[in-house]
Amino acid sequence: MTKTPKNIHLLLDDYAGKASETTAIKQYLHHYLVVEEEDVADLLEEVAIEEMRHLEQLGHTLEEAGVDPRYWDSKKKYWTGAYVNYQENVCDILQADIEAELGAILQYYQHMEAICDPHVEMMLRKIINDELRHISLFMEKQAKYCPNCDHKSWLKKVIEKMPLDKLVKGQLVNDLRLTK
């Protein structure tokens, strides 16, 4: 980055806000520790490690832009463990984690638009792709352990309600293979 992008401080929300990589890491580690299904625990551990990489990327980007990468959001409200969705049942865990990924994706799209910087957009698009893959992996486990729920229809409805451009919504539905 040669010039500090406008609104770069918004990345603090992605770094350590409520819908942030910090929250994802802590939530997935908690779920990893309490879930009884070993394959789900293994997945949560892998995803938490990938979220740590995202946190590092965001931290470096903030630092390069001259923004102090503390564990606080863009309004300088420090991160808190109250942001974590503490679940213990495998179906509730997977639902909470999919919802967290969707919240992060929405926020990333909003921040790409507000920051409007090619370097930041490229980084956030890569992270969004990882988050979409995480949702797909969580959905696979939902299909295995929570067969009585219509997860695809629910997820499609949630995406349709997201305040995003219609093309972006369509791409999300397509990327997650939610079309019938």
Side-chain angles (χ1 to χ4, degrees), residues 53-72:
R53 287 189 206 101
H54 297 163
L55 184 71
E56 179 182 30
Q57 292 169 339
L58 289 163
H60 284 307
T61 300
L62 287 162
E63 189 177 46
E64 288 171 15
V67 178
D68 183 4
R70 291 187 190 199
Y71 294 103
W72 60 16

Side-chain angles (χ1 to χ4, degrees), residues 132 135-136 139 155 159 171-178:
L132 288 168
I135 290 173
S136 293
M139 286 174 59
L155 190 54
I159 290 170
Q171 186 63 48
L172 290 174
V173 167
N174 189 48
D175 288 347
L176 292 169
R177 297 180 189 94
L178 300 176

Side-chain angles (χ1 to χ4, degrees), residues 127-170:
I127 293 173
I128 287 170
N129 286 335
D130 289 343
E131 308 301 17
L132 288 168
R133 189 171 38 76
H134 299 163
I135 290 173
S136 293
L137 293 168
F138 292 150
M139 286 174 59
E140 286 176 18
K141 298 301 179 190
Q142 272 187 325
K144 180 177 179 180
Y145 291 106
C146 316
N148 296 330
C149 296
D150 185 6
H151 307 292
K152 286 188 175 188
S153 293
W154 168 82
L155 190 54
K156 191 173 179 181
K157 287 177 188 173
V158 170
I159 290 170
E160 289 300 322
K161 291 179 183 177
M162 292 171 80
L164 292 171
D165 178 85
K166 191 173 185 173
L167 290 174
V168 173
K169 290 180 195 180

Side-chain angles (χ1 to χ4, degrees), residues 1 4-22 54-55 57-59 61-63 65-77 103-117 120-121 123-124 127:
M1 265 182 288
T4 302
K6 181 180 123 187
N7 295 322
I8 194 71
H9 69 285
L10 292 175
L11 291 181
L12 286 166
D13 295 333
D14 305 318
Y15 185 74
K18 186 171 185 173
S20 69
E21 296 298 333
T22 299
H54 297 163
L55 184 71
Q57 292 169 339
L58 289 163
T61 300
L62 287 162
E63 189 177 46
V67 178
D68 183 4
R70 291 187 190 199
Y71 294 103
W72 60 16
D73 64 19
S74 62
K75 295 179 176 71
K76 297 189 177 182
K77 179 181 176 192
I105 289 169
L106 172 61
Q107 187 168 276
Y108 286 135
Y109 275 114
Q110 291 169 335
H111 290 170
M112 279 191 299
E113 190 174 309
I115 296 169
C116 200
D117 176 81
V120 170
E121 182 175 344
M123 175 189 62
L124 293 180
I127 293 173

